[in-house]
Amino acid sequence: MADGGGAGPGSSERAWDTAWPPRFSGRSPPRPSTTEMEQETVSGSAELRAEAASYRCSACHGDEDWGLGHPIRGRAKSRSLSAAPALASTREFRRTRSLHGPCPVTTFGPKACVLQNPQTIMHIQDPASQRLTWNKSPKSVLVIKKIRDASLLQPFKELCVYLMEENNMIVYVEKKVLEDPAIVSDDRFGPVKRKFCTFREDYDDISNQIDLIICLGGDGTLLYASSLFQGSVPPVMAFHLGSLGFLTPFNFENFQSQVTQVIQGNAAVVLRSRLKVRVVKELRGKKVAVPNGISENGVLAAALDAEVGKQVMQYQVLNEVVIDRGPSSYLSNVDVYLDGHLITTVQGDGVIVSTPTGSTAYAAAAGASMIHPNVPAIMITPICPHSLSFRPIVVPAGVELKIMLSPEARNTVWVSFDGRKRQEVRHGDSVSITTSRYPLPSICVRDPVSDWFESLAQCLHWNVRKKQAHFAEDEEDAHEEDGAGNQACGPAVCTRDRRT
């Protein structure tokens, strides 16, 4: 929920726009009569046809209302597209919280959005139906290239020339990419190089200037692209030019036709949820001026905000947040809270809090299950816990996790975000984690389901095993006779090894 996602319970930031499933109190609701149900069904069908016929994307049509004069719920004053509103017949079931997690923002950068289904009740679409569309033709593209990799120089040059000369697009690159000696010394690339727009990480904000992101390299380029956008992320097209390539489904051989299809809006997209992480630290050894003259290094009056006089940092994380014991030889000892309630104390090497996308990364190596990116969930995986019963767990996407050092902890812990920004967490500090409102839209080669299973098979060799040999006909007949005889002797008799 990057800017507005999942603070404490009851916060307005947790008011998610979804209409299903309904929440009922302990008493059963009154059952309508048969006549009332028939009238509602007829009315709902008519409204469904009317709304489906007049459906339009709010991002593409400015501030125009929906067909029947119903304004789209959850739309900000600026141009943004929330999930498609619920049908009129389900308004009575509208709720503010859902186990399906926060309603993701479905506009990505200035010009891209997901084509909505007017009949969708929940904001979670069928993965096969998620299609990319543009309300205006994309004009600016950010090209992210793996640094210090000579094998990527030629694909990088070919792509940039194609984007600039064939599609007349503005190309943004990081400044240090153009400082590569091989690019500096290439005189033929000089005219193209002068057309680039450059930026520096942590100095220049390009979040509102990019329509499309193209990554050349491995999975790390996608993680880096995510870190550049703390709010809405433009669509990402990732080419597999690295080592693993689980998150980079495109091959570069026929990049022209593939890029053209994406620019024309003919592509499937998977919304990879991210984590909104908030780190609050005590300002030790520094006197901080706070209201009402209180300046006792974070010792504040009860009436003041508990975070006044503290250092607050916020991150958007695509894979995982890792809290580990760092250089200490002692096991870590951290308390894990879920929506304000202490659920467990992790005693071990640490804990991993991951998205479904991150479930196939560090979490998978630590024994977690692999979750499809469309599943709204957060996974909690211990790292080498000193317990035989501490198994990884999956919690709903909308909850807020808070991790702090236990009072009896012997040492501090360290936290990192997608393997970056590593920092120490001491007593009194806290790390709050919840699902971000801003997913990363990753463009698919085919569709979200097919691409995911293809990556499992090709990159992780999921369920690879030699095929079981088939019986010859005469052996099969003989085995059936043996099986009949064994059945007569009782179920405990078995003459075949299942491993053969």
Side-chain angles (χ1 to χ4, degrees):
M1 304 170 204
D3 273 347
S11 168
S12 61
E13 294 179 340
R14 296 279 294 279
W16 307 318
D17 189 7
T18 183
W20 185 264
R23 167 179 284 178
F24 297 120
S25 60
R27 288 181 293 179
S28 301
R31 299 185 58 162
S33 64
T34 304
T35 304
E36 291 174 345
M37 292 175 64
E38 292 176 352
Q39 291 175 350
E40 183 178 355
T41 301
V42 172
S43 174
S45 301
E47 292 182 0
L48 172 61
R49 289 192 298 270
E51 295 210 8
S54 58
Y55 173 75
R56 58 186 63 199
C57 169
S58 64
C60 304
H61 294 83
D63 291 326
E64 296 178 12
D65 292 341
W66 255 45
L68 297 180
H70 303 132
I72 294 181
R73 297 199 309 266
R75 188 177 65 211
K77 292 182 180 179
S78 61
R79 183 180 64 194
S80 66
L81 177 65
S82 64
L87 302 180
S89 59
T90 61
R91 284 198 190 99
E92 60 198 283
F93 296 139
R94 185 171 183 228
R95 53 188 292 188
T96 57
R97 295 187 63 181
S98 167
L99 291 180
H100 293 294
C103 177
V105 171
T106 52
T107 54
F108 314 113
K111 297 173 183 173
C113 62
V114 169
L115 185 61
Q116 297 287 319
N117 180 355
Q119 301 183 20
T120 299
I121 296 177
M122 294 185 297
H123 67 259
I124 302 172
Q125 296 190 20
D126 175 7
S129 71
Q130 292 179 170
R131 306 291 300 180
L132 176 70
T133 186
W134 305 93
N135 51 53
K136 290 183 181 178
S137 298
K139 293 298 181 184
S140 59
V141 56
L142 169 62
V143 177
I144 296 178
K145 169 190 162 298
K146 187 177 179 181
I147 304 296
R148 296 183 298 276
D149 191 337
S151 65
L152 297 181
L153 290 177
Q154 188 59 33
F156 172 72
K157 295 175 183 179
E158 292 179 9
L159 175 65
C160 293
V161 170
Y162 176 74
L163 293 172
M164 290 181 178
E165 298 183 356
E166 299 293 330
N167 293 279
N168 196 29
M169 299 185 77
I170 302 171
V171 177
Y172 285 77
V173 295
E174 194 171 6
K175 188 174 182 180
K176 58 185 177 183
V177 171
L178 299 183
E179 295 172 353
D180 190 307
I183 294 180
V184 173
S185 60
D186 190 345
D187 295 334
R188 292 177 299 175
F189 195 60
V192 176
K193 187 172 61 176
R194 286 190 287 271
K195 297 180 181 179
F196 282 117
C197 293
T198 61
F199 72 97
R200 296 172 298 168
E201 184 186 7
D202 297 330
Y203 287 94
D204 302 317
D205 182 14
I206 58 172
S207 56
N208 292 324
Q209 303 172 33
I210 304 300
D211 300 328
L212 173 66
I213 302 173
I214 298 180
C215 296
L216 302 177
D219 294 345
T221 57
L222 197 72
L223 299 177
Y224 178 68
S226 171
S227 69
L228 294 176
F229 295 85
Q230 295 300 301
S232 176
V233 186
V236 181
M237 184 179 190
F239 286 94
H240 175 33
L241 293 169
S243 53
L244 183 62
F246 193 93
L247 305 179
T248 54
F250 287 91
N251 292 319
F252 194 77
E253 286 75 16
N254 54 343
F255 76 93
Q256 295 96 336
S257 60
Q258 293 174 328
V259 170
T260 300
Q261 282 189 344
V262 170
I263 293 175
Q264 293 174 350
N266 182 20
V269 65
V270 56
L271 304 185
R272 298 186 178 275
S273 64
R274 299 195 293 174
L275 297 175
K276 172 190 172 183
V277 186
R278 185 179 178 86
V279 181
V280 180
K281 291 189 173 184
E282 300 278 357
L283 291 175
R284 299 169 181 86
K286 298 179 181 179
K287 288 196 173 185
V288 181
V290 294
N292 299 334
I294 301 174
S295 58
E296 295 297 328
N297 291 337
V299 180
L300 307 177
L304 296 177
D305 187 345
E307 292 184 358
V308 173
K310 296 186 179 182
Q311 182 182 10
V312 180
M313 294 159 288
Q314 188 165 297
Y315 305 94
Q316 294 285 322
V317 177
L318 178 60
N319 260 1
E320 72 275 302
V321 179
V322 177
I323 297 177
D324 60 72
R325 60 188 174 92
S328 173
S329 59
Y330 295 107
L331 53 75
S332 65
N333 200 335
V334 295
D335 294 334
V336 180
Y337 295 83
L338 190 149
D339 283 342
H341 302 285
L342 177 66
I343 58 171
T344 191
T345 297
V346 180
Q347 297 182 94
D349 280 356
V351 62
I352 305 167
V353 180
S354 59
T355 63
T357 296
S359 69
T360 53
Y362 191 1
S369 296
M370 295 181 290
I371 306 174
H372 188 275
N374 275 100
V375 177
I378 298 175
M379 173 160 280
I380 304 173
T381 307
I383 306 172
C384 298
H386 198 252
S387 168
L388 298 179
S389 59
F390 197 164
R391 303 297 300 275
I393 61 171
V394 178
V395 296
V399 302
E400 182 183 43
L401 298 170
K402 189 173 185 179
I403 301 177
M404 303 178 67
L405 269 176
S406 298
E408 61 273 13
R410 296 182 179 182
N411 55 288
T412 62
V413 294
W414 289 73
V415 61
S416 61
F417 315 95
D418 284 340
R420 309 178 78 223
K421 310 289 185 182
R422 186 170 171 82
Q423 53 196 270
E424 190 175 15
V425 177
R426 302 181 179 182
H427 285 283
D429 300 343
S430 66
V431 180
S432 299
I433 306 169
T434 190
T435 304
S436 170
R437 291 180 60 241
Y438 299 101
L440 184 142
S442 180
I443 299 173
C444 305
V445 172
R446 287 183 292 176
D447 62 77
V449 175
S450 300
D451 282 14
W452 192 67
F453 279 101
E454 180 74 13
S455 294
L456 286 182
Q458 297 297 324
C459 301
L460 299 183
H461 304 292
W462 177 61
N463 196 26
V464 173
R465 182 193 186 277
K466 288 186 177 181
K467 294 291 185 180
Q468 189 179 47
H470 179 65
F471 279 129
E473 291 186 4
D474 53 347
E475 292 180 359
E476 188 172 358
D477 295 340
H479 185 74
E480 287 179 356
E481 293 176 2
D482 291 343
N486 289 335
Q487 271 189 339
C489 297
V493 179
C494 180
T495 61
R496 184 175 58 171
D497 188 344
R498 292 182 61 86
R499 293 173 294 177
T500 60

